[in-house]
């Protein structure tokens, strides 16, 4: 079983090697990289490429580790007992299975995505060490052990917002998705916009990478921003000569709102354009 990429996802040789190494080692694959470089989409395409079901657990700042295992609704059980509901006698009626439970009890191998693990509390990764290592956990309310019959392929993403514990890192196979170079980016664009005019693509790529090179940007535009920007350029039928001969008085590229995401970066580009006009 080897992941070779898909028609919808351009995976570099290093990335394919990392995915297959994690599968072979039976360890979670920890993926880091700039936001918008396709970390979440990787899990979707691994599932697609290997013909497996995908389970997604999107982490928030309020997410607790036990929610991935199960949640016991004691309040509902108390209310039902007061109302004389018969289902109160079976405690399993009040246990909601989490994504890890679903993955462990699946009769077939699945891909489990734990998305943006660094959003949660710093103790969140440590609270999952045993479960991800042994692929089992204990349910105290029913006094049963849930153990994976078929070990899922676990993909964990992180935007590097906070450091992850060493004990957690030791149990993962790590890969950092480098920002695509121009040839790789052209392949990615071709997947999203088959047959796009080469001249438009060339000029748009020049603008995009020029913006990324600007020193001091608070947020550099990523792959997803480029895709959105190209979609707008194509929808508005922007001729490529506007990109090629863009007026420095306009300070920033047309439809810049798809590329630049905060006012500080807009002001920075305007100042640079002003300095360029004075030097000219």
């Amino acid at each position: 079983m080897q992941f070779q990429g898909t028609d919808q996802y351009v995976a570099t040789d290093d990335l394919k090697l990392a995915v297959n190494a994690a599968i072979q080692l039976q360890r979670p694959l920890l993926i880091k990289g700039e936001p918008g470089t396709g970390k979440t989409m990787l899990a979707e395409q691994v599932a697609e490429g290997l013909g497996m079901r995908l389970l997604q657990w999107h982490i928030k700042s309020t997410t607790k580790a036990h929610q991935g295992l199960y949640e016991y609704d004691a309040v509902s059980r108390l209310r039902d007992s007061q109302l004389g509901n018969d289902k109160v006698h079976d405690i399993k009626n009040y246990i909601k299975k989490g994504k890890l439970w679903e993955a462990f009890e699946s009769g077939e191998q699945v891909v489990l995505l734990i998305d943006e693990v660094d959003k949660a509390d710093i103790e969140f990764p440590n609270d999952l060490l045993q479960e991800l290592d042994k692929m089992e956990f204990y349910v105290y309310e029913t006094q049963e052990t849930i153990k994976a019959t078929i070990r899922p392929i676990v993909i964990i993403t992180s935007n590097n917002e906070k450091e992850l514990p060493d004990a957690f890192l030791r149990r993962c196979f790590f890969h950092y998705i480098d920002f695509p170079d121009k040839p790789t980016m052209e392949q990615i664009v071709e997947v999203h916009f088959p047959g796009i005019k080469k001249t438009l693509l060339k000029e748009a790529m020049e603008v995009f990478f020029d913006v990324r090179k600007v020193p001091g940007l608070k947020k550099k535009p990523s792959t997803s921003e480029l895709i959105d920007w190209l979609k707008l350029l194509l929808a508005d039928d922007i001729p490529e000569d506007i990109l090629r001969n863009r007026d420095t008085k306009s300070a920033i590229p047309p439809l810049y709102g798809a590329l630049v995401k905060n006012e500080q970066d807009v002001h920075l580009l305007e100042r640079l354009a002003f300095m360029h006009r004075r030097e000219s």
Side-chain angles (χ1 to χ4, degrees), residues 198-258:
K198 298 298 182 184
T199 51
L200 174 61
L201 177 59
K202 179 179 180 297
E203 298 304 329
M205 294 283 282
E206 290 292 333
V207 173
F208 174 75
F209 279 98
D210 282 348
V211 172
R212 278 189 58 86
K213 290 176 185 175
V214 172
L217 276 184
K218 186 174 181 180
K219 184 192 181 308
K220 294 181 180 181
S222 66
T223 307
S224 61
E225 274 99 33
L226 173 62
I227 299 302
D228 288 345
W229 187 51
L230 283 171
K231 186 182 296 184
L232 290 175
L233 292 178
L234 292 171
D236 289 359
D237 199 21
I238 302 291
E240 57 265 21
D241 60 342
I242 290 182
L243 300 177
R244 185 185 309 115
N245 304 312
R246 55 189 187 277
D247 183 3
T248 54
K249 292 180 182 178
S250 66
I252 45 183
L255 301 170
Y256 69 86

Side-chain angles (χ1 to χ4, degrees), residues 132-143:
L132 291 177
D133 195 23
K134 302 295 184 182
M135 286 290 159
E136 65 179 50
F137 62 91
Y138 186 71
V139 182
Y140 293 94
E141 289 77 6
T142 60
Q143 298 182 358

Side-chain angles (χ1 to χ4, degrees), residues 2 23 26 33 47 51 61 70 77-78 83-84 110 112 117 124 208 210 227 261 265:
Q2 294 280 311
I23 294 174
Q26 296 188 333
S61 59
Y70 68 94
R77 193 182 187 202
L78 175 61
L83 296 174
V110 299
L112 172 63
V117 68
F124 178 88
F208 174 75
D210 282 348
I227 299 302
K261 298 299 184 178
D265 289 346

Side-chain angles (χ1 to χ4, degrees), residues 4-19:
Q4 299 298 335
T6 68
D7 294 337
Q8 293 80 38
Y9 190 89
V10 178
T12 63
D13 290 340
D14 286 346
L15 180 55
K16 288 185 283 189
L17 185 64
V19 171

